[in-house]
Amino acid sequence: QLQASGGGLVQAGDSLTLSCAASGRTSSNNAMGWFRQAPGKEREFVAGINWNGGRTYYADSVKGRFTISREYAKSTVTLQMNSLKPEDTADYYCAVGRFARVGSEPNDYSYWGQGTQVTVSS
């Protein structure tokens, strides 16, 4: 079970921090990631982190602005989003990967949290 939080309405240039806590059958030995889905668009990879936090991966659209991190012992993952843009507006989903390495496709993830909405006004 995954519980995501931290979404909201902000202005362009502002920052937000999304958090996701995993519990139950989810495994702390798996990669975790964030995806987003805007209205009328497919779900897209935003950022991922491997099982021990040693490797991170980002979509080109957020590289340099977003930072993913995880607290291994607590199976939590955080997405720090800076310099937000209107095109970042979407529902954001955290997910637990099927493997220890990071994947960028939704099928690489087996458990999904409910979305948290991020709206960035211009």
Side-chain angles (χ1 to χ4, degrees), residues 84-96:
L84 283 161
K85 303 177 180 180
E87 51 264 44
D88 294 319
T89 295
D91 290 328
Y92 283 71
Y93 299 85
C94 63
V96 175

Side-chain angles (χ1 to χ4, degrees), residues 56-122:
T56 57
Y57 300 86
Y58 300 92
D60 289 342
S61 59
V62 307
K63 202 171 294 184
R65 300 187 297 120
F66 291 10
T67 303
I68 188 171
S69 60
R70 71 183 296 173
E71 189 169 349
Y72 178 81
K74 295 184 179 181
S75 294
T76 59
V77 62
T78 299
L79 185 68
Q80 175 66 42
M81 306 187 294
N82 298 327
S83 302
L84 283 161
K85 303 177 180 180
E87 51 264 44
D88 294 319
T89 295
D91 290 328
Y92 283 71
Y93 299 85
C94 63
V96 175
R98 298 183 186 278
F99 312 107
R101 60 169 176 76
V102 174
S104 62
E105 298 294 329
N107 284 340
D108 294 325
Y109 295 81
S110 53
Y111 296 101
W112 293 83
Q114 88 290 355
T116 185
Q117 189 173 49
V118 173
T119 303
V120 184
S121 64
S122 58

Side-chain angles (χ1 to χ4, degrees), residues 47-59:
I49 189 165
N50 74 331
W51 73 280
N52 67 355
R55 289 183 176 271
T56 57
Y57 300 86
Y58 300 92

